[in-house]
Amino acid sequence: PVPTGTTVGGRRYYQNAAEFKAKGLELEMKYQNPKLFNAFLNLDYISGDKGDEILDVVGTARVLEGYNYKMVPKFSASGGVNKTLWGFTGAFIVNYQAGNDGPRGPVDSTGKVWETIPSWTSIDVTLSYAHTWGPVSFRHTGAIKNVGDQERWSPEATRRNANRVPFMEGTKAIYSLAVKF
């Protein structure tokens, strides 16, 4: 490992925690048949060791084990289908992220306690239309993100001043136009 604050090849390296290891598994399945539909399913699992343990704020023997990995969801999944017909393409995607407990216990001198990061599921729906006008091609895309208006959170382990940040709040409607000429 590169010691923190070391410059290697013009880049400065920093380490904000002890070294730790992780292992995981990812399974991705695709079905592609443009005459019927296209689909995918992605499943992820990750688990870390206890190499990133830290002492609690008063420096006693009590240790917050697996500090960073208590903030990383062990499981996430994503799946979707799409179909193109007469220049229109419709897509439907479902995303899931498991919750986690965070390290629990005080993490600073004020006695702040990490909150849990709840699991969430979101649905995104997209409809696009492609056409040409002379030598110019157009793609109009409309999307609704987070259809069920789920609160979605991501772990924040980098700065260690908040343990969760909003990933996306509310339902969003988006329109875009792509032009090629």
Side-chain angles (χ1 to χ4, degrees), residues 4-126:
T4 188
T6 303
T7 302
V8 177
R11 289 188 170 168
R12 193 109 169 127
Y13 286 84
Y14 294 94
Q15 182 176 336
N16 68 350
E19 185 176 327
F20 59 93
K21 296 179 183 150
K23 56 187 168 197
L25 178 66
E26 180 178 16
L27 174 64
E28 183 174 289
M29 295 180 285
K30 291 182 184 179
Y31 174 78
Q32 294 181 317
N33 185 341
K35 290 182 180 180
L36 294 176
F37 63 90
N38 299 315
F40 75 94
L41 177 64
N42 186 285
L43 306 170
D44 295 304
Y45 173 81
I46 188 168
S47 180
D49 69 8
K50 296 179 181 178
D52 62 338
E53 297 172 339
I54 61 171
L55 292 176
D56 69 3
V57 294
V58 293
T60 66
R62 186 164 107 26
V63 170
L64 299 174
E65 296 178 352
Y67 182 84
N68 285 306
Y69 274 92
K70 289 194 175 188
M71 291 182 280
V72 174
K74 287 190 182 237
F75 181 74
S76 63
S78 187
V81 296
N82 76 359
K83 172 70 178 161
T84 300
L85 189 61
W86 303 309
F88 289 92
T89 300
F92 180 85
I93 298 174
V94 177
N95 297 297
Y96 171 79
Q97 182 172 287
N100 58 68
D101 287 336
R104 299 287 192 181
V107 294
D108 64 23
S109 60
T110 66
K112 176 181 173 183
V113 176
W114 295 96
E115 302 172 74
T116 61
I117 300 172
S119 64
W120 55 262
T121 302
S122 71
I123 298 170
D124 299 339
V125 178
T126 304

